[in-house]
Amino acid sequence: GAVVSQHPSRVICKSGTSVKIECRSLDFQATTMFWYRQFPKQSLMLMATSNEGSKATYEQGVEKDKFLINHASLTLSTLTVTSAHPEDSSFYICSARDLGAVAYEQYFGPGTRLTVT
Amino acid sequence: KQEVTQIPAALSVPEGENLVLNCSFTDSAIYNLQWFRQDPGKGLTSLLLIQSSQREQTSGRLNASLDKSSGRSTLYIAASQPGDSATYLCAVLFMEYGNKLVFGAGTILRVKS
């Protein structure tokens, strides 16, 4: 089946620093990738939609200058949390849509736990 | 605004019991509906995807049904096991939103041995 990886799986950083999270589709091409955020005991909330070769589309209330998204190839999207603060601590999950799939199915990565101290 | 609701929020059952998780959504114009499993601190595992034209999908002890006209889906788990304990999430791809999956809040399932 389609596999999506994320790196790192867990990161701890100091307040004010930036952190980059990678999302890769390992065995398929993805023109569209999605970034979600999940707070403890809550469901996933879509942050942005990342399209290869174009600017990302951000959901209402998500700061585009704080959460920088780059989708440079059909298999890689990155999310950079700039000037991180403790309130950015969360579980970040990416997903990718298979270019060749007919059912609009999204495949999810294992998530990245970000802790800002 | 399109919404997905899951009932119950939490469920505790003895091992071996058959159970049903419910998902409702606000618009029948959908591309598909997916059921996921999430273990604590982990990512999502896709269980079943039902396309708009389908009424049900089965995988092992799991069976998911879809009734678009009433805006409902159920996930049936047969002969539950302690290893089934997890949070189960329902997500809907609404046509109005194109790419965006809308998730329910989830049902936390505990199967007691």
Side-chain angles (χ1 to χ4, degrees):
Chain A
V3 178
V4 175
S5 70
Q6 278 185 244
H7 179 79
S9 58
R10 188 179 294 266
V11 58
I12 300 173
C13 70
K14 293 188 176 180
S15 187
T17 60
S18 295
V19 174
K20 180 184 285 188
I21 303 170
E22 292 186 349
C23 176
R24 293 182 185 272
S25 56
L26 298 184
D27 50 2
F28 66 97
Q29 293 184 324
T31 53
T32 305
M33 291 185 171
F34 306 86
W35 288 95
Y36 296 83
R37 182 173 182 175
Q38 186 178 34
F39 290 107
K41 300 190 186 301
Q42 295 187 25
S43 192
L44 279 73
M45 294 298 295
L46 181 66
M47 297 174 64
T49 301
S50 166
N51 294 295
E52 187 264 339
S54 64
K55 290 184 178 180
T57 303
Y58 291 81
E59 294 302 298
Q60 192 172 8
V62 177
E63 299 175 58
K64 58 184 68 176
D65 293 332
K66 180 167 189 60
F67 299 99
L68 300 179
I69 292 172
N70 182 274
H71 192 159
S73 76
L74 286 173
T75 59
L76 173 65
S77 176
T78 60
L79 168 68
T80 301
V81 183
T82 62
S83 187
H85 290 284
E87 58 264 31
D88 298 323
S89 298
S90 188
F91 193 51
Y92 293 88
I93 304 177
C94 73
S95 71
R97 176 175 294 159
D98 187 342
L99 189 62
V102 297
Y104 297 97
E105 185 170 4
Q106 292 183 26
Y107 301 98
F108 284 78
T112 296
R113 174 78 56 194
L114 170 63
T115 303
V116 184
T117 60
Chain B
K1 180 183 176 185
Q2 307 294 11
E3 294 183 347
V4 177
T5 304
Q6 290 187 245
I7 295 173
L11 183 62
S12 183
V13 300
E15 181 177 5
E17 198 164 288
N18 302 325
L19 57 99
V20 174
L21 307 182
N22 297 290
C23 173
S24 62
F25 46 95
T26 50
D27 187 349
S28 63
I30 67 172
Y31 286 115
N32 62 48
L33 182 147
Q34 281 183 262
W35 283 94
F36 296 91
R37 168 187 173 137
Q38 186 175 31
D39 293 289
K42 304 293 185 182
L44 302 183
T45 299
S46 180
L47 299 174
L48 291 164
L49 178 146
I50 311 177
Q51 295 186 50
S52 175
S53 59
Q54 299 173 328
R55 292 194 63 86
E56 68 175 344
Q57 284 287 332
T58 298
S59 176
R61 294 183 293 109
L62 304 180
N63 176 276
S65 68
L66 173 65
D67 184 344
K68 277 194 312 179
S69 61
S70 65
R72 296 176 188 273
S73 175
T74 60
L75 178 66
Y76 175 82
I77 302 177
S80 59
Q81 303 170 357
D84 294 330
S85 299
T87 297
Y88 290 80
L89 295 165
C90 171
V92 178
L93 190 62
F94 291 103
M95 290 184 178
E96 178 184 352
Y97 289 163
N99 283 319
K100 302 188 302 184
L101 269 177
V102 178
F103 281 83
T107 294
I108 301 171
L109 173 65
R110 179 180 172 223
V111 181
K112 298 172 289 186
S113 57

